[in-house]
Amino acid sequence: MQVHPTIAGTRAASRTARARGARVGLVPTMGYLHRGHLELIRQARERAQWVAVSLFVNPTQFGPTEDLERYPRAFERDVALCEGEGVDVLFAPSPAEMYTPGAQTFVTVEELSKPLCGAARPGHFRGVATVVAKLFHIVEPDVAVFGEKDYQQLQVIRRMVRDLDMPVEVVGVPTVRDADGLALSSRNQYLSREERDRALCLSRALASARDLVAAGETDAERVLERVAVILSEGTAELDYAEIRDAETLAAVQRIERPVVLALAARIGATRLIDNTMLTPA
Ligand code: AMP
């Protein structure tokens, strides 16, 4: 595996692979890799003969009061994990390599970026869409793999690709969880043992919502009431819990087709997100 800190080196490696006839895959990450990331890499491997992983804690998707500085980093470990998965190139640029001073071009996916995490984190999805567009131009992948864990992000990227005619197949991968249901996240690292136990209320709330809908409940408000009760029992501080159209993310009152239930909550100082599809009986 090659580790490239530069745009030019990464692009050259990708073009060489493509010239040899390989289908090119890309898995964008912020590092501190866990089994969720590794599953994305495996899915990329199944669809491409040459796979790049990007490792970049993207400053432009963090708000001024967020955790950019203390976001967990473990470069050597990430390198070893990528090597173990047969990754061809790890693209690990510095912020200076990614952003030329005075950059003033951004990608904004207007409506999809507004609700849910977009409301809580202004500018976040502009940062995400812009860096992913840049990664697509650098690596020129045929296929790029993202997690459903970041459901809104996946929809934003799908829409960007469609709207801007990017020749990239976007693949979404179901959320990888610990055995007790907690969705894997690099930010789980922030949780104390006691907080990790409390954090289980997120997946418990989602499971309970799924059960309620499978049993015939179609009123979104009633489902959200159940979710709020379970989160408050778990002493999670709710940021949002909303039921929305799975593709447009428009608000939904009645659950008459598969929809997404997305939530964000704070356990102590740590903000966690999770989501599930709700399929009517
Ligand atoms: P991150 O490094 O957290 O920015 O995530 C990089 C990619 O991994 C994104 O596409 C995430 O959606 C995906 N991802 C993060 N956690 C999980 C998980 N538990 N299961 C599946 N994919 C995940």
Side-chain angles (χ1 to χ4, degrees), residues 245-268:
D245 181 89
E247 196 179 332
T248 65
L249 303 183
V252 165
Q253 270 81 48
R254 299 220 76 82
I255 304 166
E256 286 156 346
R257 56 183 186 286
V259 293
V260 63
L261 163 57
L263 58 82
R266 258 171 228 285
I267 306 289

Side-chain angles (χ1 to χ4, degrees), residues 130-152:
T130 302
V131 81
V132 171
K134 284 166 70 71
L135 290 168
F136 285 0
H137 286 300
I138 293 163
V139 177
E140 302 175 327
D142 298 293
V143 55
V145 184
F146 297 86
E148 289 177 358
K149 159 83 173 14
D150 299 273
Y151 190 85
Q152 187 175 13

Side-chain angles (χ1 to χ4, degrees), residues 25-95:
L26 171 66
V27 179
T29 83
M30 298 205 299
Y32 209 76
L33 303 181
H34 52 62
R35 281 187 297 112
H37 298 113
L38 301 189
E39 180 58 25
L40 267 51
I41 295 171
R42 283 170 206 152
Q43 293 296 326
R45 268 252 147 272
E46 285 189 9
R47 293 168 174 81
Q49 293 77 45
W50 189 90
V51 171
V53 170
S54 63
L55 195 168
F56 181 58
V57 183
N58 176 34
T60 68
Q61 69 189 66
F62 287 78
T65 61
E66 293 181 357
D67 58 344
L68 172 62
E69 294 308 324
R70 69 183 197 112
Y71 194 84
R73 290 162 169 90
F75 183 70
E76 296 306 328
R77 190 171 144 268
D78 289 347
V79 169
L81 285 169
C82 286
E83 213 142 30
E85 293 298 328
V87 169
D88 295 279
V89 158
L90 181 63
F91 175 47
S94 65

